[in-house]
Amino acid sequence: MDVRVERLAEQIKDRRKALKLTQDELADLAGCSQRFVRALEAGKPGVRFDKFLDVIGVLGLEIELGHRSDRR
């Protein structure tokens, strides 16, 4: 698994636990399934981006986008 994906999955899981939420509770709040939350926390590829945004929104997390310079 990509180190960045692994770290993101870890941050999501850590934040959920810090908020004392179960995967089921987070799923209910985000309007998705517990299976989706489990896959997200495991860093599985192919998760739906809209649901991902719903989950991180519930957790109070943000995504910061930056421009990666072209390194040749």
Side-chain angles (χ1 to χ4, degrees):
M1 178 181 345
D2 185 310
V3 173
R4 294 168 296 180
V5 172
E6 187 176 311
R7 180 68 187 126
L8 180 60
E10 184 180 300
Q11 287 178 325
I12 290 169
K13 185 175 184 176
D14 289 348
R15 179 68 176 154
R16 174 183 60 78
K17 288 183 173 188
L19 293 173
K20 297 182 175 24
L21 293 172
T22 65
Q23 288 181 339
D24 282 330
E25 291 167 333
L26 176 55
D28 286 343
L29 291 169
C32 63
S33 68
Q34 187 267 345
R35 182 178 176 179
F36 178 85
V37 172
R38 186 174 60 240
L40 188 59
E41 290 184 356
K44 301 280 185 187
V47 297
R48 286 185 44 192
F49 193 67
D50 60 330
K51 293 295 180 187
F52 167 74
L53 292 175
D54 291 340
V55 169
I56 66 167
V58 168
L59 294 173
L61 299 173
E62 297 177 348
I63 294 179
E64 183 176 314
L65 299 176
H67 178 71
R68 187 184 306 178
S69 62
D70 190 24
R71 298 177 188 161
R72 291 184 190 190

